[in-house]
Amino acid sequence: MVFKPFTHLARQSLGKTFTHGYAQSVVAATQSSYASSTTPFGSFSSHAASKFSKHGNSHIHTSFQPPSTPSGTTTSSGQQVPAPEGSRGDGGLAAYYEAWQKQQPNNGSGKEWKQFQFPLRIGWKAPNALPDSKNVDKDNARLRPDTLLNRGSLDRAYSSSAVDDIKKAEDVVAEAAAATQVDKAIAEEIHSSQVISAHPSNATPNGQPSSSIMSTSTTTPPQSSDTASLSQRSLPLTDDTVPTPGALALSDAVVHLYEYGRYTEIPAAFELLLERSIQPSVKAYNALLAAAVELPAAKNQVASKALSVYTSMLQLRVTPDTAFYTTLLEVLSKHAIYVHQTKSAMDLKRLRFFNARYGNPNPQSSFLLQSDEAEYAILLEDDALSNAIKIFDSAIIAAKGQRFSSEAYALLVTACALHGRVEDMLRVHSHLEENQVIPIASMFPPMIEAFSRRGDLRSAVECYDGYKMMAIQHDAGHNTLIDRKDYEVYAALAKSYAKCGRIDGADRFLARIIHSFNTNADENKAKLEVAQDIIVTYGLIQHQIDAAQYAEALKTAEVRSLSASARNKAIASICSAAADDNDRESAIKAFRAIDAAPTEMSMAALSMLAMHIRHGQLDEARTYWSVLYGLPDAGVSLIEPTTMYTVALIGKGYVDEGLTHAREAFTRMRASVDMTNDRNQIKEKIDEAIEHVGTFITSHRIALSPQSAMILLWAMSENNGPVSPLSEHLLAGLGSVQISTLSWEDMVLVLRIEAAMISGGTILQDVAHVTRFEHLMDMVTRGAILDETTVELVEQTLKTLEIRRPDLTAKWQNARQVGNQQTYVPTLGSPAPSLASTAPVRYADTYDPYAAMIDHRGSNVIVDLLDSPRSRNGANLDEALSRFRNMRRLGRHPRYLVYSKLIAAAAKEGRANAVFDLFGTAQQDVPLLAQHPSVREGWCSILDSMIGACLTIGNRAAASEYHEELLQLGFAPTANTFGLYITTLKESAKTLDEANEAVNIFCRAQQEGVEPSSFLYNALIGKLGKARRIDDCNFYFSEMQNRGIRPTSVTYGTMINAMCRVSYERHAEELFDEMESMPNYKPRPAPYNSVMQYFLTTKRDNLKVLEYYSRMLSKNIRPTMHTYKLLIDTYATLEPINMPAAEGVLDAIRASGERPDAVHYASLVHAKGCALHDMAGARSTFDAAMANPEVRPQACLYQALFESMVANHRVEETEELLEHMASRSVEMTPYIANTLIHGWATAHNIAKAQAVYESIGMEKREPSTYEAMTRGFLAGNERQQALDVVHEVQSRGYPSPVTNKIVDLLGSNGSRAASVAPADLAV
């Protein structure tokens, strides 16, 4: 259909490469004597075979073992050949058997006993026996206690380590069970063979035994790990081997393991087939291939494992079936695509980060890091695609009419297109057409681009025409395409026109596409926008980028009608490409045109940073480093720019700045990954980056200050430890004078590194290292107490130096003894405490270098002012600040606690500037000296208060920074500060799932060793209660009591509120009674208000509301303004309605010394207008409130009148009220908008409802606003408009239960409507 001129390529015969009509593997063709010596695949055998198999006659036994594992080999007949002597191929039992043989009587037989050679297992090591009691005890000792007590019910509030422990324990039992299941199958095989030979009539049809071997092998619990059948010598596998029923059952067992997804057990079961000289079935090999695909952790191992399975299969003369070929082709094609993508990314990395200006450590390398050079060399040698093509040819010649899956064809065609192998691509596509396989649409864009790279526009257009024809048939109801990719095909053809010099053709084609969407402009507007974004971005602009036409590409992005996201992405690509190509003018212009989008800004800033560094423009590079470092994503992609920037700064003389930036960036990179494998990978990259920086320093003979050397040593220590020989070079520059300038923590680190080097023995003969170690040991023992790890390292080093320097051991012991002695000195006139009651205190722990300048009396006065009851309203804060300033004018300063209290008080008053000014003052008055424990403890309270203050004023980013500083000091925030993390969640993100985030914060507090407080539990339970997660509320409430933390009245109020939310009336009343009976009960109005509101809104029981109001008064609890509102609603809305009593509540408020608020008048307006439908009375109450100068106009008052108008079908009068609201400077709220949208939709005026919806603005819209507008559009039969509203709410990031409620309004077609298919193809 599409490639008629090329279809002859698919009919080229390769029959001469096959013998006996058997589709022999091109791998095995050069490895087995079965192959003809004239097979013309020498290139494959010379490289690919050696790459994927260690020996030419390697058996499948080695397919899942590392290259270094010794194993026996197998001949072509299946005979096991023992491994060479000393290879330990007998599993380490040779010595045992030799001793056992000497003890055995010969009985005159004269026959020498010979050990049976067991073949090695395939990448699987069976345990010697099932775990006995001793082993179980040892294993259990390594598990956590909660895992041992209850393995079946792990609480989700804890970490996943217990799950990992259980998994490890289950893996051991599973491996032992595998051996037992296989031996059970062998026993069944022997038994069934005997039964069949003795009673042939009892055999079931098809020669299968009557008992189910598979069911036995999969359900019988393990009894032992070894069986006697393994002592039988394996018989050689010959061509005449006839599979017995037991053999078939064993093959079926392997297949069943695959069907149940038990991939880890397949290699062991398959190996048993080979040990018993049983010919594996094709399905068994399919299962083994599936295991080879699923088990390897690294992507680059899958293809080699799959080829090893294929090689073994053909060596045993098992003909692959279509399923095997399909899987193998998919694996190799995916690997070829991965190789192409990785190689392209590394080409870009080599272009971007090679820094010739500041010298490359390896002039022969074109990459910044050596690991990239080695990986790139491996990618250049990869031949997975060649293997895939040869296997494809073998498969289609072996069986006529061979059909593969659509995915296999698509992957192979895509791989050929990406690698530029157009002829192979055409042959594969022709085979797809000949066998009438439905193609996957994703393969057509790479095919079109492959033709355009060769300048073959005609074939590209023919390919598009073929896709177009199939798409038209697909629209007509025929199944001709899978997963339509219309816009991507458009983009590929437009790019082909441009690449072949036909810009006018690309413009005409794009105009035709746009015209095809204009048939129904309203319906196809969204589709046209998506189509234009893809075609222009990936078609026209990408071609201009490839052609280095950056100015034209930027003009295209500005002129064409692109969406904001597509425009940003296109301009970022232009900026990145121009910077990599050193087009400075175009790159800067493009960067300035990018809106603040983190992803696009990160990509562009990275390229801009590298460009300016390559040109030596360090000042400009600093700007882009700030942009790049300020973005949230700090993964492994920042390794190269960080290294490049650090080297550039050091080369310009900014050593400290460069090393500090590097250390901070490395810390962020490690924190950005969670998986262990990813973290190990990034640590290895960081080690290489540090080595690169160190090599640059040593090669340019740059002298580092002691502080600079320590920055580099700390960077190593925080990663994987010292990097040799850089660490030795840095230590060599630290003499006694330089060490004296270091802090105590720095000295300890240097001591640990020095001790590790000496203990390793590599530098034992270097006198300088021993002398430095002695000096460091003397220095650190004068400071704080050393940790256990450092003590162990020092003592181990002293043992190493015991012969040469025995005096060091004595000196160490004396220093330790002096450090542990009592140093308390009683003052005159005070009784000396007994040694038994006083812990040893060292002078270094209590010394405060700022103690002489502390004004203790003034500090007490300020603390009293801030702690007094009036300070809660900020009355005493100004006076406290005035006393603080006067104290500093006299050259004195307060205690550390005073700084903390001042900062907290300023934050409560919302004075953000005062918060940071006080913190800066503390840094000036009492700078942080980490070597003094007393200063560290004082700064712990200051940093903790700064975290709480930043959370209070809504600056969570600053709070995170101070949190990290506190952790670096070895402290964690207090439990109350973590409680502030939870209580301030509402202000941090409007669409945040606060309950889950609150649990995460609580877990982090536990991980940092914080003992929870009642405030922390109250904050957590409050968020969980709002989310109606009542089970979690009960769990943490019980945990709080189990910890010995007595619940407060706030705790009970929070729990009662949570119970009322889910209508747990009985539990709420029980908690209420328990709260009132608590000895530490402090009466508070909040729990009473919660219960009153529950009986008001949910139960509608006025007697219960008034009962709890009376109980509230009996406890001498003063009603709040909210309590009075609840009373008004009770009298005015619950039967029997008593409107005079409701209005009398206003007089009760005045009698209590308070003033009625707008919310109270709003309750009366709502009751009269909505409950009694007395519109005149509602308007009269509203006007009276507005005329009262003591009542401030609020949105709730207007909302009540709007609701009354809508309830009485007078929505037209709302427009006048809206103008009145605007004149009183009252802003529109989402809840007013909801009422108006509902009213106009009921009046069938969707235009007015939509105008109200758009006036509220997306930032202020609530989920209820989206729900009201969706209902309005659906009521007006405007389904597409409703769908747009649903799309917007889905993009806001609300929790799924919230969005699902709105999506469900669309009915059963909601999900289909949410994923509308692309526009129809242009004709």
PDB file of all heavy atoms in Angstrom, residues 271-290:
ATOM      1  N   GLU A 271      16.343 -25.366  35.472  1.00  0.00           N
ATOM      2  CA  GLU A 271      17.620 -26.054  35.605  1.00  0.00           C
ATOM      3  C   GLU A 271      17.419 -27.532  35.918  1.00  0.00           C
ATOM      4  O   GLU A 271      18.197 -28.377  35.490  1.00  0.00           O
ATOM      5  CB  GLU A 271      18.439 -25.391  36.702  1.00  0.00           C
ATOM      6  CG  GLU A 271      19.828 -25.993  36.846  1.00  0.00           C
ATOM      7  CD  GLU A 271      20.558 -25.411  38.023  1.00  0.00           C
ATOM      8  OE1 GLU A 271      19.914 -24.677  38.794  1.00  0.00           O
ATOM      9  OE2 GLU A 271      21.750 -25.704  38.168  1.00  0.00           O
ATOM     10  N   LEU A 272      16.363 -27.815  36.653  1.00  0.00           N
ATOM     11  CA  LEU A 272      16.091 -29.211  36.983  1.00  0.00           C
ATOM     12  C   LEU A 272      15.825 -30.040  35.726  1.00  0.00           C
ATOM     13  O   LEU A 272      16.208 -31.200  35.651  1.00  0.00           O
ATOM     14  CB  LEU A 272      14.900 -29.301  37.937  1.00  0.00           C
ATOM     15  CG  LEU A 272      14.611 -30.704  38.458  1.00  0.00           C
ATOM     16  CD1 LEU A 272      15.737 -31.188  39.350  1.00  0.00           C
ATOM     17  CD2 LEU A 272      13.285 -30.737  39.193  1.00  0.00           C
ATOM     18  N   LEU A 273      15.166 -29.409  34.754  1.00  0.00           N
ATOM     19  CA  LEU A 273      14.947 -30.109  33.481  1.00  0.00           C
ATOM     20  C   LEU A 273      16.274 -30.526  32.853  1.00  0.00           C
ATOM     21  O   LEU A 273      16.441 -31.649  32.365  1.00  0.00           O
ATOM     22  CB  LEU A 273      14.180 -29.203  32.518  1.00  0.00           C
ATOM     23  CG  LEU A 273      12.734 -28.861  32.874  1.00  0.00           C
ATOM     24  CD1 LEU A 273      12.192 -27.848  31.875  1.00  0.00           C
ATOM     25  CD2 LEU A 273      11.866 -30.097  32.871  1.00  0.00           C
ATOM     26  N   LEU A 274      17.221 -29.615  32.881  1.00  0.00           N
ATOM     27  CA  LEU A 274      18.521 -29.897  32.269  1.00  0.00           C
ATOM     28  C   LEU A 274      19.306 -30.910  33.098  1.00  0.00           C
ATOM     29  O   LEU A 274      20.025 -31.750  32.542  1.00  0.00           O
ATOM     30  CB  LEU A 274      19.320 -28.608  32.116  1.00  0.00           C
ATOM     31  CG  LEU A 274      18.613 -27.490  31.336  1.00  0.00           C
ATOM     32  CD1 LEU A 274      19.520 -26.271  31.253  1.00  0.00           C
ATOM     33  CD2 LEU A 274      18.237 -27.955  29.939  1.00  0.00           C
ATOM     34  N   GLU A 275      19.180 -30.857  34.403  1.00  0.00           N
ATOM     35  CA  GLU A 275      19.872 -31.834  35.248  1.00  0.00           C
ATOM     36  C   GLU A 275      19.356 -33.250  35.017  1.00  0.00           C
ATOM     37  O   GLU A 275      20.099 -34.220  35.110  1.00  0.00           O
ATOM     38  CB  GLU A 275      19.705 -31.448  36.723  1.00  0.00           C
ATOM     39  CG  GLU A 275      20.463 -30.206  37.118  1.00  0.00           C
ATOM     40  CD  GLU A 275      20.243 -29.857  38.571  1.00  0.00           C
ATOM     41  OE1 GLU A 275      19.390 -30.508  39.187  1.00  0.00           O
ATOM     42  OE2 GLU A 275      20.922 -28.946  39.068  1.00  0.00           O
ATOM     43  N   ARG A 276      18.076 -33.364  34.719  1.00  0.00           N
ATOM     44  CA  ARG A 276      17.471 -34.665  34.463  1.00  0.00           C
ATOM     45  C   ARG A 276      17.526 -35.053  32.989  1.00  0.00           C
ATOM     46  O   ARG A 276      16.926 -36.042  32.578  1.00  0.00           O
ATOM     47  CB  ARG A 276      16.003 -34.661  34.928  1.00  0.00           C
ATOM     48  CG  ARG A 276      15.847 -34.454  36.425  1.00  0.00           C
ATOM     49  CD  ARG A 276      16.417 -35.657  37.191  1.00  0.00           C
ATOM     50  NE  ARG A 276      16.358 -35.429  38.625  1.00  0.00           N
ATOM     51  CZ  ARG A 276      17.374 -34.984  39.342  1.00  0.00           C
ATOM     52  NH1 ARG A 276      18.535 -34.719  38.763  1.00  0.00           N
ATOM     53  NH2 ARG A 276      17.242 -34.803  40.636  1.00  0.00           N
ATOM     54  N   SER A 277      18.274 -34.266  32.209  1.00  0.00           N
ATOM     55  CA  SER A 277      18.416 -34.524  30.773  1.00  0.00           C
ATOM     56  C   SER A 277      17.056 -34.583  30.095  1.00  0.00           C
ATOM     57  O   SER A 277      16.802 -35.406  29.213  1.00  0.00           O
ATOM     58  CB  SER A 277      19.185 -35.833  30.536  1.00  0.00           C
ATOM     59  OG  SER A 277      20.465 -35.770  31.088  1.00  0.00           O
ATOM     60  N   ILE A 278      16.157 -33.699  30.512  1.00  0.00           N
ATOM     61  CA  ILE A 278      14.826 -33.618  29.920  1.00  0.00           C
ATOM     62  C   ILE A 278      14.817 -32.480  28.912  1.00  0.00           C
ATOM     63  O   ILE A 278      15.273 -31.372  29.209  1.00  0.00           O
ATOM     64  CB  ILE A 278      13.770 -33.380  31.010  1.00  0.00           C
ATOM     65  CG1 ILE A 278      13.744 -34.566  31.972  1.00  0.00           C
ATOM     66  CG2 ILE A 278      12.384 -33.165  30.404  1.00  0.00           C
ATOM     67  CD1 ILE A 278      12.845 -34.349  33.166  1.00  0.00           C
ATOM     68  N   GLN A 279      14.301 -32.772  27.747  1.00  0.00           N
ATOM     69  CA  GLN A 279      14.217 -31.762  26.704  1.00  0.00           C
ATOM     70  C   GLN A 279      13.168 -30.718  27.094  1.00  0.00           C
ATOM     71  O   GLN A 279      11.977 -31.031  27.198  1.00  0.00           O
ATOM     72  CB  GLN A 279      13.799 -32.408  25.373  1.00  0.00           C
ATOM     73  CG  GLN A 279      13.650 -31.423  24.231  1.00  0.00           C
ATOM     74  CD  GLN A 279      14.955 -31.197  23.493  1.00  0.00           C
ATOM     75  OE1 GLN A 279      16.019 -31.536  24.011  1.00  0.00           O
ATOM     76  NE2 GLN A 279      14.888 -30.656  22.300  1.00  0.00           N
ATOM     77  N   PRO A 280      13.552 -29.450  27.330  1.00  0.00           N
ATOM     78  CA  PRO A 280      12.541 -28.441  27.682  1.00  0.00           C
ATOM     79  C   PRO A 280      11.625 -28.172  26.502  1.00  0.00           C
ATOM     80  O   PRO A 280      12.035 -28.192  25.338  1.00  0.00           O
ATOM     81  CB  PRO A 280      13.376 -27.203  28.037  1.00  0.00           C
ATOM     82  CG  PRO A 280      14.755 -27.715  28.264  1.00  0.00           C
ATOM     83  CD  PRO A 280      14.912 -28.909  27.384  1.00  0.00           C
ATOM     84  N   SER A 281      10.380 -27.899  26.811  1.00  0.00           N
ATOM     85  CA  SER A 281       9.421 -27.558  25.768  1.00  0.00           C
ATOM     86  C   SER A 281       9.592 -26.104  25.370  1.00  0.00           C
ATOM     87  O   SER A 281      10.271 -25.326  26.032  1.00  0.00           O
ATOM     88  CB  SER A 281       7.999 -27.798  26.262  1.00  0.00           C
ATOM     89  OG  SER A 281       7.718 -26.928  27.349  1.00  0.00           O
ATOM     90  N   VAL A 282       8.938 -25.757  24.263  1.00  0.00           N
ATOM     91  CA  VAL A 282       9.003 -24.376  23.797  1.00  0.00           C
ATOM     92  C   VAL A 282       8.366 -23.442  24.822  1.00  0.00           C
ATOM     93  O   VAL A 282       8.877 -22.343  25.088  1.00  0.00           O
ATOM     94  CB  VAL A 282       8.304 -24.242  22.430  1.00  0.00           C
ATOM     95  CG1 VAL A 282       8.336 -22.792  21.964  1.00  0.00           C
ATOM     96  CG2 VAL A 282       8.964 -25.128  21.405  1.00  0.00           C
ATOM     97  N   LYS A 283       7.267 -23.896  25.411  1.00  0.00           N
ATOM     98  CA  LYS A 283       6.616 -23.046  26.409  1.00  0.00           C
ATOM     99  C   LYS A 283       7.499 -22.847  27.633  1.00  0.00           C
ATOM    100  O   LYS A 283       7.481 -21.783  28.265  1.00  0.00           O
ATOM    101  CB  LYS A 283       5.282 -23.662  26.811  1.00  0.00           C
ATOM    102  CG  LYS A 283       4.240 -23.636  25.709  1.00  0.00           C
ATOM    103  CD  LYS A 283       2.905 -24.168  26.208  1.00  0.00           C
ATOM    104  CE  LYS A 283       1.845 -24.094  25.115  1.00  0.00           C
ATOM    105  NZ  LYS A 283       0.537 -24.608  25.578  1.00  0.00           N
ATOM    106  N   ALA A 284       8.290 -23.878  27.978  1.00  0.00           N
ATOM    107  CA  ALA A 284       9.210 -23.717  29.099  1.00  0.00           C
ATOM    108  C   ALA A 284      10.264 -22.666  28.783  1.00  0.00           C
ATOM    109  O   ALA A 284      10.641 -21.860  29.643  1.00  0.00           O
ATOM    110  CB  ALA A 284       9.862 -25.050  29.440  1.00  0.00           C
ATOM    111  N   TYR A 285      10.747 -22.680  27.543  1.00  0.00           N
ATOM    112  CA  TYR A 285      11.713 -21.649  27.150  1.00  0.00           C
ATOM    113  C   TYR A 285      11.062 -20.263  27.124  1.00  0.00           C
ATOM    114  O   TYR A 285      11.705 -19.254  27.430  1.00  0.00           O
ATOM    115  CB  TYR A 285      12.312 -21.975  25.790  1.00  0.00           C
ATOM    116  CG  TYR A 285      13.632 -22.705  25.892  1.00  0.00           C
ATOM    117  CD1 TYR A 285      13.749 -24.044  25.544  1.00  0.00           C
ATOM    118  CD2 TYR A 285      14.764 -22.046  26.355  1.00  0.00           C
ATOM    119  CE1 TYR A 285      14.959 -24.710  25.641  1.00  0.00           C
ATOM    120  CE2 TYR A 285      15.980 -22.704  26.460  1.00  0.00           C
ATOM    121  CZ  TYR A 285      16.076 -24.034  26.100  1.00  0.00           C
ATOM    122  OH  TYR A 285      17.275 -24.676  26.214  1.00  0.00           O
ATOM    123  N   ASN A 286       9.791 -20.211  26.736  1.00  0.00           N
ATOM    124  CA  ASN A 286       9.099 -18.924  26.790  1.00  0.00           C
ATOM    125  C   ASN A 286       9.043 -18.398  28.222  1.00  0.00           C
ATOM    126  O   ASN A 286       9.212 -17.204  28.477  1.00  0.00           O
ATOM    127  CB  ASN A 286       7.677 -19.074  26.237  1.00  0.00           C
ATOM    128  CG  ASN A 286       7.678 -19.260  24.730  1.00  0.00           C
ATOM    129  OD1 ASN A 286       8.643 -18.915  24.046  1.00  0.00           O
ATOM    130  ND2 ASN A 286       6.597 -19.809  24.195  1.00  0.00           N
ATOM    131  N   ALA A 287       8.794 -19.312  29.144  1.00  0.00           N
ATOM    132  CA  ALA A 287       8.775 -18.909  30.553  1.00  0.00           C
ATOM    133  C   ALA A 287      10.145 -18.438  31.008  1.00  0.00           C
ATOM    134  O   ALA A 287      10.270 -17.448  31.745  1.00  0.00           O
ATOM    135  CB  ALA A 287       8.295 -20.074  31.418  1.00  0.00           C
ATOM    136  N   LEU A 288      11.198 -19.151  30.582  1.00  0.00           N
ATOM    137  CA  LEU A 288      12.553 -18.756  30.961  1.00  0.00           C
ATOM    138  C   LEU A 288      12.896 -17.396  30.363  1.00  0.00           C
ATOM    139  O   LEU A 288      13.542 -16.567  31.013  1.00  0.00           O
ATOM    140  CB  LEU A 288      13.553 -19.809  30.487  1.00  0.00           C
ATOM    141  CG  LEU A 288      15.010 -19.565  30.897  1.00  0.00           C
ATOM    142  CD1 LEU A 288      15.158 -19.597  32.403  1.00  0.00           C
ATOM    143  CD2 LEU A 288      15.932 -20.590  30.249  1.00  0.00           C
ATOM    144  N   LEU A 289      12.456 -17.153  29.138  1.00  0.00           N
ATOM    145  CA  LEU A 289      12.706 -15.861  28.525  1.00  0.00           C
ATOM    146  C   LEU A 289      11.978 -14.744  29.287  1.00  0.00           C
ATOM    147  O   LEU A 289      12.531 -13.657  29.497  1.00  0.00           O
ATOM    148  CB  LEU A 289      12.250 -15.875  27.058  1.00  0.00           C
ATOM    149  CG  LEU A 289      12.442 -14.566  26.280  1.00  0.00           C
ATOM    150  CD1 LEU A 289      13.916 -14.192  26.218  1.00  0.00           C
ATOM    151  CD2 LEU A 289      11.866 -14.689  24.870  1.00  0.00           C
ATOM    152  N   ALA A 290      10.758 -15.037  29.706  1.00  0.00           N
ATOM    153  CA  ALA A 290      10.033 -14.040  30.500  1.00  0.00           C
ATOM    154  C   ALA A 290      10.768 -13.736  31.800  1.00  0.00           C
ATOM    155  O   ALA A 290      10.839 -12.582  32.242  1.00  0.00           O
ATOM    156  CB  ALA A 290       8.619 -14.539  30.798  1.00  0.00           C
TER     157      ALA A 290
END
